[in-house]
Amino acid sequence: MPKVKKEKAGKASDSQGIVFNKSFGQHILKNPLVVNSMVEKAAIKSTDTVLEIGPGTGNMTVKLLEKGKKVIACEVDPRMAAELTKRVQGTPLHSKLHVMMGDVLKNELPYFDCCVANMPYQISSPFVFKLLLHRPFFRCAILMFQREFAERLVARPGDKLYCRLSVNTQLLARIDHIMKVGKNNFRPPPKVESSVVRIEPRNPPPPVNFTEWDGLLRIVFARKNKTLAAQFKSKSVVGMLEKNYRVHCSMNNKAIETSFDMKAKLTELLVENELDLKRARLMDTDDFLALLHLFNSNGIHFT
């Protein structure tokens, strides 16, 4: 009996002989019911420009082309781009498709009304923030992610998976979990389960310096179960904030008393505002906004 050749590590083939590269996160969504559901949830208008990331062989792209005015498909693999172009060549859909080659994290995003994608999972986090900081605002995004990542996006205070990612994304957008998708809906099947979420950016965005905001969250979520009082007694945190404070005072021609003690100042602010015993894992967006305002209004900055 002849031996069956094993597929090379990191690659898998479909029944048409296309070799998928797992290093690019190529797991093609093959279930038409899931594809149709994602497209329907996007509520695409006939005047919409739709952005798709990692179109693969075009199962979703074709459906998007049928609904919208134009589809911009971002693809890093030239073989997949050629397969996609060939699929719509000679059809009325061809003129509505624009393939953008290259790494979507390195390229500037074009204008679009909505984004629908079965995301390469390894770029999920950086892409979400690239998307949410994109201007002009888009209407909504329907995105497939690894199940645990999706659960982190929608996690609420007190949930096991509640983290800096949860707070950062919920500051900038309304996020809803739409449906769970099993691994057998993909070719080749990934090792993890998946979920689809809907992201709607808050427009206008909250009036907050995002760099300052993220700096605060990095500190409080480093040990999310510890009290704020304990977090802000850390030698490295106190040292960083004192350095920033001195720069801020220098730039604003503000004198600093020789007896100034940053550690004592932080403790005083937290105790006076009854924040010292709070823990990041139980705080919501409004709590963090109030904490940032308290520090910034007292000249304490995180950048």
Side-chain angles (χ1 to χ4, degrees):
M1 186 174 178
K3 292 182 179 179
V4 178
K5 290 184 179 179
K6 291 184 178 179
E7 292 169 352
K8 291 182 179 179
K11 294 187 177 181
S13 303
D14 76 348
S15 57
Q16 283 128 359
I18 300 169
V19 179
F20 298 120
N21 190 330
K22 291 184 182 178
S23 67
F24 288 153
Q26 290 175 345
H27 297 279
I28 306 303
L29 181 57
K30 67 179 183 179
N31 187 335
L33 294 177
V34 178
V35 172
N36 289 339
S37 182
M38 289 181 68
V39 173
E40 286 171 13
K41 293 292 184 184
I44 298 167
K45 302 173 184 176
S46 59
T47 55
D48 281 348
T49 294
V50 184
L51 178 69
E52 184 184 13
I53 312 302
T57 55
N59 293 346
M60 181 146 5
T61 318
V62 170
K63 298 294 182 183
L64 296 173
L65 287 166
E66 291 170 355
K67 294 280 187 181
K69 179 181 179 181
K70 178 182 180 182
V71 173
I72 302 171
C74 300
E75 180 56 70
V76 72
D77 188 340
R79 299 169 311 121
M80 290 296 172
E83 188 70 25
L84 174 60
T85 303
K86 186 171 72 174
R87 183 165 180 170
V88 298
Q89 203 162 23
T91 74
L93 301 179
H94 184 260
S95 62
K96 297 165 72 175
L97 175 66
H98 174 68
V99 178
M100 196 168 91
M101 290 299 304
D103 186 339
V104 70
L105 296 180
K106 295 177 181 176
N107 293 338
E108 187 175 335
L109 293 180
Y111 169 85
F112 62 96
D113 297 293
C114 55
C115 177
V116 185
N118 169 28
M119 292 295 303
Y121 292 169
Q122 67 267 34
I123 67 167
S124 296
S125 186
F127 179 74
V128 164
F129 288 107
K130 186 179 180 77
L131 197 64
L132 290 176
L133 296 174
H134 176 69
R135 300 293 181 270
F137 284 98
F138 59 95
R139 190 171 66 250
C140 77
I142 305 294
L143 304 175
M144 179 89 73
F145 292 119
Q146 179 178 332
R147 176 80 49 81
E148 184 175 316
F149 182 83
E151 289 176 345
R152 288 180 185 277
L153 288 179
V154 300
R156 305 301 300 166
D159 291 350
K160 183 180 179 182
L161 293 176
Y162 189 59
C163 60
R164 186 167 63 93
L165 173 69
S166 317
V167 184
N168 269 333
T169 50
Q170 290 169 32
L171 172 78
L172 299 173
R174 283 175 284 275
I175 306 174
D176 297 299
H177 185 282
I178 291 178
M179 61 179 165
K180 295 179 178 180
V181 182
K183 60 182 75 172
N184 291 331
N185 291 286
F186 301 87
R187 185 179 69 246
K191 294 179 180 179
V192 296
E193 303 293 343
S194 303
S195 282
V196 178
V197 301
R198 184 180 192 275
I199 298 176
E200 183 183 338
R202 298 188 189 279
N203 185 6
V208 62
N209 180 320
F210 189 74
T211 309
E212 283 271 332
W213 166 268
D214 191 52
L216 167 65
L217 294 190
R218 284 179 185 276
I219 291 172
V220 298
F221 275 101
R223 297 286 187 275
K224 68 178 182 179
N225 292 319
K226 293 181 72 173
T227 63
L228 294 184
Q231 299 270 35
F232 286 95
K233 284 177 182 174
S234 160
K235 187 176 180 179
S236 59
V237 171
V238 172
M240 181 270 288
L241 293 178
E242 180 167 355
K243 180 181 177 183
N244 291 347
Y245 180 77
R246 292 185 178 280
V247 170
H248 175 79
C249 290
S250 175
M251 291 175 66
N252 290 277
N253 296 316
K254 182 180 176 182
I256 302 174
E257 295 178 9
T258 53
S259 60
F260 177 76
D261 184 332
M262 176 55 78
K263 186 175 179 179
K265 178 70 173 176
L266 292 169
T267 300
E268 178 189 337
L269 288 173
L270 292 172
V271 171
E272 282 183 356
N273 292 274
E274 299 181 350
L275 293 168
D276 52 318
L277 298 181
K278 283 190 174 286
R279 302 170 195 272
R281 68 181 181 86
L282 298 173
M283 296 171 66
D284 62 18
T285 303
D286 289 340
D287 292 329
F288 291 117
L289 284 170
L291 182 62
L292 182 63
H293 175 72
L294 172 67
F295 283 138
N296 284 175
S297 61
N298 281 275
I300 297 168
H301 294 270
F302 296 86
T303 57

Short mmCIF file of all heavy atoms in Angstrom, two decimals, residues 56-105:
data_model
loop_
_atom_site.label_atom_id
_atom_site.label_comp_id
_atom_site.label_asym_id
_atom_site.label_seq_id
_atom_site.Cartn_x
_atom_site.Cartn_y
_atom_site.Cartn_z
N GLY A 56 -8.73 35.63 1.58
CA GLY A 56 -8.50 34.23 1.21
C GLY A 56 -8.97 33.94 -0.20
O GLY A 56 -8.65 34.67 -1.14
N THR A 57 -9.76 32.88 -0.37
CA THR A 57 -10.23 32.49 -1.71
C THR A 57 -11.49 33.23 -2.13
O THR A 57 -12.01 33.00 -3.22
CB THR A 57 -10.48 30.98 -1.76
OG1 THR A 57 -11.39 30.61 -0.71
CG2 THR A 57 -9.18 30.21 -1.57
N GLY A 58 -12.02 34.10 -1.25
CA GLY A 58 -13.13 34.98 -1.66
C GLY A 58 -14.53 34.53 -1.31
O GLY A 58 -15.50 35.10 -1.84
N ASN A 59 -14.68 33.55 -0.41
CA ASN A 59 -16.03 33.10 -0.04
C ASN A 59 -16.89 34.24 0.51
O ASN A 59 -18.06 34.37 0.17
CB ASN A 59 -15.95 31.98 1.00
CG ASN A 59 -15.36 30.71 0.44
OD1 ASN A 59 -15.24 30.56 -0.77
ND2 ASN A 59 -14.96 29.78 1.30
N MET A 60 -16.28 35.08 1.38
CA MET A 60 -17.01 36.22 1.93
C MET A 60 -16.98 37.40 0.96
O MET A 60 -17.96 38.13 0.84
CB MET A 60 -16.43 36.63 3.28
CG MET A 60 -17.17 37.78 3.85
SD MET A 60 -17.38 37.89 5.62
CE MET A 60 -16.50 36.63 6.37
N THR A 61 -15.88 37.58 0.27
CA THR A 61 -15.71 38.72 -0.64
C THR A 61 -16.82 38.80 -1.67
O THR A 61 -17.38 39.87 -1.94
CB THR A 61 -14.35 38.65 -1.36
OG1 THR A 61 -13.34 38.25 -0.44
CG2 THR A 61 -14.00 39.98 -1.98
N VAL A 62 -17.17 37.66 -2.26
CA VAL A 62 -18.21 37.62 -3.28
C VAL A 62 -19.54 38.11 -2.71
O VAL A 62 -20.26 38.90 -3.36
CB VAL A 62 -18.36 36.18 -3.84
CG1 VAL A 62 -19.61 36.08 -4.71
CG2 VAL A 62 -17.13 35.79 -4.64
N LYS A 63 -19.87 37.70 -1.49
CA LYS A 63 -21.11 38.13 -0.85
C LYS A 63 -21.10 39.63 -0.56
O LYS A 63 -22.12 40.32 -0.69
CB LYS A 63 -21.35 37.36 0.45
CG LYS A 63 -21.52 35.85 0.27
CD LYS A 63 -22.78 35.54 -0.50
CE LYS A 63 -22.98 34.04 -0.65
NZ LYS A 63 -24.19 33.74 -1.48
N LEU A 64 -19.93 40.14 -0.17
CA LEU A 64 -19.80 41.56 0.11
C LEU A 64 -19.93 42.38 -1.17
O LEU A 64 -20.56 43.45 -1.19
CB LEU A 64 -18.44 41.85 0.76
CG LEU A 64 -18.20 41.22 2.14
CD1 LEU A 64 -16.76 41.45 2.59
CD2 LEU A 64 -19.16 41.78 3.18
N LEU A 65 -19.35 41.87 -2.27
CA LEU A 65 -19.43 42.55 -3.56
C LEU A 65 -20.88 42.63 -4.05
O LEU A 65 -21.27 43.60 -4.70
CB LEU A 65 -18.58 41.80 -4.60
CG LEU A 65 -17.06 41.95 -4.45
CD1 LEU A 65 -16.33 40.91 -5.29
CD2 LEU A 65 -16.60 43.35 -4.82
N GLU A 66 -21.65 41.61 -3.74
CA GLU A 66 -23.06 41.60 -4.16
C GLU A 66 -23.89 42.64 -3.42
O GLU A 66 -24.90 43.12 -3.93
CB GLU A 66 -23.66 40.21 -3.93
CG GLU A 66 -23.10 39.13 -4.86
CD GLU A 66 -23.52 37.73 -4.45
OE1 GLU A 66 -24.17 37.59 -3.38
OE2 GLU A 66 -23.22 36.77 -5.20
N LYS A 67 -23.43 43.02 -2.21
CA LYS A 67 -24.19 43.95 -1.37
C LYS A 67 -23.75 45.41 -1.52
O LYS A 67 -24.59 46.31 -1.55
CB LYS A 67 -24.06 43.55 0.10
CG LYS A 67 -24.68 42.22 0.47
CD LYS A 67 -26.17 42.35 0.66
CE LYS A 67 -26.77 41.07 1.19
NZ LYS A 67 -28.24 41.18 1.37
N GLY A 68 -22.45 45.64 -1.55
CA GLY A 68 -21.94 47.01 -1.50
C GLY A 68 -21.56 47.60 -2.84
O GLY A 68 -21.65 46.96 -3.90
N LYS A 69 -21.10 48.84 -2.78
CA LYS A 69 -20.68 49.55 -3.99
C LYS A 69 -19.26 49.15 -4.39
O LYS A 69 -18.92 49.04 -5.56
CB LYS A 69 -20.74 51.06 -3.73
CG LYS A 69 -20.29 51.92 -4.91
CD LYS A 69 -20.36 53.40 -4.54
CE LYS A 69 -19.90 54.26 -5.71
NZ LYS A 69 -19.94 55.71 -5.35
N LYS A 70 -18.42 48.90 -3.34
CA LYS A 70 -17.01 48.60 -3.57
C LYS A 70 -16.47 47.80 -2.39
O LYS A 70 -16.87 48.03 -1.26
CB LYS A 70 -16.23 49.92 -3.72
CG LYS A 70 -14.74 49.79 -3.92
CD LYS A 70 -14.10 51.18 -3.98
CE LYS A 70 -12.60 51.12 -4.19
NZ LYS A 70 -12.01 52.48 -4.21
N VAL A 71 -15.58 46.85 -2.68
CA VAL A 71 -14.91 46.09 -1.62
C VAL A 71 -13.41 46.26 -1.77
O VAL A 71 -12.84 46.03 -2.85
CB VAL A 71 -15.26 44.59 -1.68
CG1 VAL A 71 -14.42 43.81 -0.67
CG2 VAL A 71 -16.74 44.37 -1.40
N ILE A 72 -12.77 46.70 -0.69
CA ILE A 72 -11.31 46.80 -0.65
C ILE A 72 -10.82 45.61 0.17
O ILE A 72 -11.07 45.52 1.37
CB ILE A 72 -10.85 48.12 -0.01
CG1 ILE A 72 -11.41 49.31 -0.78
CG2 ILE A 72 -9.32 48.19 0.04
CD1 ILE A 72 -11.20 50.65 -0.10
N ALA A 73 -10.17 44.68 -0.51
CA ALA A 73 -9.71 43.45 0.14
C ALA A 73 -8.21 43.53 0.40
O ALA A 73 -7.42 43.63 -0.54
CB ALA A 73 -10.02 42.24 -0.74
N CYS A 74 -7.82 43.52 1.68
CA CYS A 74 -6.41 43.62 2.05
C CYS A 74 -5.82 42.21 2.18
O CYS A 74 -6.26 41.43 3.02
CB CYS A 74 -6.26 44.36 3.37
SG CYS A 74 -6.90 46.03 3.34
N GLU A 75 -4.82 41.92 1.37
CA GLU A 75 -4.24 40.58 1.33
C GLU A 75 -2.72 40.65 1.33
O GLU A 75 -2.13 41.44 0.60
CB GLU A 75 -4.74 39.83 0.09
CG GLU A 75 -4.23 38.41 -0.06
CD GLU A 75 -4.54 37.54 1.15
OE1 GLU A 75 -5.71 37.19 1.38
OE2 GLU A 75 -3.57 37.21 1.88
N VAL A 76 -2.08 39.80 2.15
CA VAL A 76 -0.63 39.78 2.25
C VAL A 76 -0.01 38.70 1.35
O VAL A 76 1.17 38.77 1.01
CB VAL A 76 -0.19 39.58 3.72
CG1 VAL A 76 -0.46 38.15 4.19
CG2 VAL A 76 1.26 39.97 3.95
N ASP A 77 -0.83 37.73 0.95
CA ASP A 77 -0.34 36.58 0.16
C ASP A 77 -0.69 36.76 -1.32
O ASP A 77 -1.88 36.71 -1.67
CB ASP A 77 -0.98 35.30 0.71
CG ASP A 77 -0.39 34.04 0.09
OD1 ASP A 77 0.22 34.13 -1.00
OD2 ASP A 77 -0.54 32.95 0.69
N PRO A 78 0.30 36.94 -2.19
CA PRO A 78 0.03 37.14 -3.62
C PRO A 78 -0.76 36.00 -4.26
O PRO A 78 -1.55 36.23 -5.17
CB PRO A 78 1.44 37.25 -4.24
CG PRO A 78 2.34 37.62 -3.10
CD PRO A 78 1.75 36.98 -1.89
N ARG A 79 -0.58 34.78 -3.78
CA ARG A 79 -1.30 33.63 -4.34
C ARG A 79 -2.80 33.74 -4.08
O ARG A 79 -3.62 33.45 -4.96
CB ARG A 79 -0.77 32.32 -3.75
CG ARG A 79 0.71 32.05 -4.01
CD ARG A 79 1.21 30.88 -3.18
NE ARG A 79 0.84 31.02 -1.78
CZ ARG A 79 0.11 30.13 -1.11
NH1 ARG A 79 -0.32 29.03 -1.70
NH2 ARG A 79 -0.19 30.32 0.15
N MET A 80 -3.15 34.17 -2.87
CA MET A 80 -4.55 34.33 -2.53
C MET A 80 -5.17 35.49 -3.29
O MET A 80 -6.32 35.44 -3.73
CB MET A 80 -4.72 34.55 -1.02
CG MET A 80 -4.43 33.31 -0.18
SD MET A 80 -5.60 31.99 -0.55
CE MET A 80 -4.86 30.65 0.38
N ALA A 81 -4.39 36.57 -3.45
CA ALA A 81 -4.88 37.72 -4.20
C ALA A 81 -5.18 37.32 -5.65
O ALA A 81 -6.20 37.73 -6.22
CB ALA A 81 -3.84 38.84 -4.17
N ALA A 82 -4.32 36.50 -6.23
CA ALA A 82 -4.52 36.03 -7.61
C ALA A 82 -5.75 35.13 -7.71
O ALA A 82 -6.54 35.23 -8.66
CB ALA A 82 -3.28 35.27 -8.09
N GLU A 83 -5.92 34.28 -6.69
CA GLU A 83 -7.09 33.37 -6.65
C GLU A 83 -8.39 34.17 -6.54
O GLU A 83 -9.38 33.85 -7.22
CB GLU A 83 -6.94 32.43 -5.45
CG GLU A 83 -7.96 31.32 -5.39
CD GLU A 83 -7.76 30.26 -6.47
OE1 GLU A 83 -6.62 30.10 -6.96
OE2 GLU A 83 -8.76 29.62 -6.83
N LEU A 84 -8.37 35.19 -5.72
CA LEU A 84 -9.55 36.03 -5.53
C LEU A 84 -9.91 36.78 -6.82
O LEU A 84 -11.07 36.81 -7.24
CB LEU A 84 -9.30 37.02 -4.40
CG LEU A 84 -10.37 38.09 -4.15
CD1 LEU A 84 -11.71 37.44 -3.81
CD2 LEU A 84 -9.94 39.03 -3.04
N THR A 85 -8.88 37.37 -7.45
CA THR A 85 -9.09 38.12 -8.69
C THR A 85 -9.65 37.21 -9.78
O THR A 85 -10.57 37.58 -10.52
CB THR A 85 -7.76 38.76 -9.16
OG1 THR A 85 -7.26 39.60 -8.11
CG2 THR A 85 -7.98 39.60 -10.40
N LYS A 86 -9.08 36.00 -9.86
CA LYS A 86 -9.53 35.02 -10.87
C LYS A 86 -10.99 34.63 -10.64
O LYS A 86 -11.73 34.40 -11.60
CB LYS A 86 -8.63 33.79 -10.81
CG LYS A 86 -8.90 32.76 -11.91
CD LYS A 86 -7.83 31.68 -11.93
CE LYS A 86 -7.95 30.75 -10.75
NZ LYS A 86 -7.00 29.61 -10.83
N ARG A 87 -11.39 34.57 -9.39
CA ARG A 87 -12.75 34.13 -9.05
C ARG A 87 -13.82 35.08 -9.58
O ARG A 87 -14.91 34.65 -9.96
CB ARG A 87 -12.88 33.99 -7.53
CG ARG A 87 -14.22 33.47 -7.07
CD ARG A 87 -14.17 33.02 -5.63
NE ARG A 87 -15.46 32.52 -5.18
CZ ARG A 87 -15.65 31.89 -4.03
NH1 ARG A 87 -14.63 31.70 -3.21
NH2 ARG A 87 -16.85 31.47 -3.68
N VAL A 88 -13.52 36.39 -9.60
CA VAL A 88 -14.54 37.36 -10.05
C VAL A 88 -14.28 37.88 -11.46
O VAL A 88 -15.07 38.66 -11.99
CB VAL A 88 -14.63 38.55 -9.07
CG1 VAL A 88 -15.07 38.08 -7.70
CG2 VAL A 88 -13.31 39.31 -8.98
N GLN A 89 -13.17 37.46 -12.06
CA GLN A 89 -12.81 37.93 -13.40
C GLN A 89 -13.90 37.56 -14.41
O GLN A 89 -14.44 36.45 -14.39
CB GLN A 89 -11.48 37.31 -13.84
CG GLN A 89 -10.77 38.12 -14.90
CD GLN A 89 -9.29 37.74 -14.98
OE1 GLN A 89 -8.91 36.65 -14.59
NE2 GLN A 89 -8.48 38.63 -15.50
N GLY A 90 -14.25 38.51 -15.26
CA GLY A 90 -15.27 38.24 -16.28
C GLY A 90 -16.70 38.33 -15.75
O GLY A 90 -17.65 37.99 -16.46
N THR A 91 -16.87 38.78 -14.49
CA THR A 91 -18.21 38.95 -13.92
C THR A 91 -18.44 40.43 -13.61
O THR A 91 -17.48 41.22 -13.54
CB THR A 91 -18.36 38.14 -12.61
OG1 THR A 91 -17.62 38.81 -11.57
CG2 THR A 91 -17.85 36.72 -12.77
N PRO A 92 -19.69 40.83 -13.41
CA PRO A 92 -19.98 42.24 -13.08
C PRO A 92 -19.35 42.68 -11.75
O PRO A 92 -19.21 43.88 -11.50
CB PRO A 92 -21.52 42.26 -12.98
CG PRO A 92 -21.98 41.10 -13.79
CD PRO A 92 -20.93 40.05 -13.61
N LEU A 93 -18.97 41.69 -10.93
CA LEU A 93 -18.40 42.02 -9.62
C LEU A 93 -16.95 42.50 -9.72
O LEU A 93 -16.45 43.16 -8.81
CB LEU A 93 -18.46 40.80 -8.70
CG LEU A 93 -19.84 40.20 -8.41
CD1 LEU A 93 -19.71 38.98 -7.51
CD2 LEU A 93 -20.75 41.24 -7.76
N HIS A 94 -16.29 42.17 -10.82
CA HIS A 94 -14.86 42.45 -10.96
C HIS A 94 -14.54 43.94 -10.80
O HIS A 94 -13.56 44.32 -10.16
CB HIS A 94 -14.35 41.94 -12.31
CG HIS A 94 -12.87 42.09 -12.49
ND1 HIS A 94 -12.32 43.13 -13.23
CD2 HIS A 94 -11.83 41.37 -12.01
CE1 HIS A 94 -10.99 43.01 -13.20
NE2 HIS A 94 -10.68 41.96 -12.47
N SER A 95 -15.39 44.80 -11.38
CA SER A 95 -15.13 46.25 -11.34
C SER A 95 -15.32 46.84 -9.94
O SER A 95 -14.87 47.94 -9.66
CB SER A 95 -16.04 46.97 -12.33
OG SER A 95 -17.40 46.77 -11.97
N LYS A 96 -15.98 46.09 -9.06
CA LYS A 96 -16.26 46.59 -7.70
C LYS A 96 -15.17 46.16 -6.71
O LYS A 96 -15.18 46.59 -5.56
CB LYS A 96 -17.61 46.07 -7.23
CG LYS A 96 -18.77 46.55 -8.07
CD LYS A 96 -20.04 45.76 -7.80
CE LYS A 96 -20.65 46.08 -6.46
NZ LYS A 96 -21.96 45.40 -6.26
N LEU A 97 -14.25 45.30 -7.16
CA LEU A 97 -13.22 44.78 -6.27
C LEU A 97 -11.90 45.52 -6.42
O LEU A 97 -11.40 45.72 -7.53
CB LEU A 97 -12.98 43.29 -6.55
CG LEU A 97 -11.82 42.62 -5.78
CD1 LEU A 97 -12.12 42.58 -4.29
CD2 LEU A 97 -11.55 41.22 -6.31
N HIS A 98 -11.34 45.93 -5.28
CA HIS A 98 -9.99 46.52 -5.28
C HIS A 98 -9.14 45.73 -4.29
O HIS A 98 -9.46 45.70 -3.09
CB HIS A 98 -10.04 47.99 -4.86
CG HIS A 98 -8.68 48.61 -4.71
ND1 HIS A 98 -7.83 48.83 -5.77
CD2 HIS A 98 -8.01 49.03 -3.60
CE1 HIS A 98 -6.70 49.37 -5.32
NE2 HIS A 98 -6.79 49.49 -4.01
N VAL A 99 -8.09 45.08 -4.77
CA VAL A 99 -7.21 44.30 -3.90
C VAL A 99 -6.04 45.17 -3.47
O VAL A 99 -5.33 45.73 -4.30
CB VAL A 99 -6.70 43.03 -4.61
CG1 VAL A 99 -5.75 42.26 -3.68
CG2 VAL A 99 -7.87 42.14 -5.03
N MET A 100 -5.85 45.28 -2.16
CA MET A 100 -4.75 46.08 -1.61
C MET A 100 -3.71 45.10 -1.03
O MET A 100 -3.98 44.43 -0.04
CB MET A 100 -5.29 47.00 -0.50
CG MET A 100 -4.35 48.12 -0.11
SD MET A 100 -5.18 49.36 0.93
CE MET A 100 -4.85 48.72 2.56
N MET A 101 -2.57 45.02 -1.68
CA MET A 101 -1.54 44.07 -1.27
C MET A 101 -0.68 44.64 -0.13
O MET A 101 -0.42 45.83 -0.07
CB MET A 101 -0.63 43.73 -2.46
CG MET A 101 -1.30 42.88 -3.53
SD MET A 101 -1.85 41.28 -2.89
CE MET A 101 -0.31 40.62 -2.22
N GLY A 102 -0.23 43.75 0.76
CA GLY A 102 0.69 44.15 1.81
C GLY A 102 0.14 43.90 3.21
O GLY A 102 -0.99 43.45 3.39
N ASP A 103 0.97 44.21 4.20
CA ASP A 103 0.63 44.03 5.61
C ASP A 103 -0.32 45.15 6.04
O ASP A 103 0.03 46.33 6.02
CB ASP A 103 1.92 44.08 6.44
CG ASP A 103 1.70 43.77 7.91
OD1 ASP A 103 0.56 43.92 8.39
OD2 ASP A 103 2.67 43.38 8.59
N VAL A 104 -1.53 44.78 6.44
CA VAL A 104 -2.54 45.78 6.79
C VAL A 104 -2.12 46.61 8.01
O VAL A 104 -2.55 47.76 8.17
CB VAL A 104 -3.90 45.10 7.05
CG1 VAL A 104 -3.87 44.28 8.35
CG2 VAL A 104 -5.03 46.12 7.09
N LEU A 105 -1.24 46.07 8.85
CA LEU A 105 -0.78 46.83 10.02
C LEU A 105 0.22 47.92 9.64
O LEU A 105 0.36 48.92 10.34
CB LEU A 105 -0.15 45.89 11.05
CG LEU A 105 -1.07 44.84 11.68
CD1 LEU A 105 -0.29 43.98 12.68
CD2 LEU A 105 -2.28 45.47 12.36
#
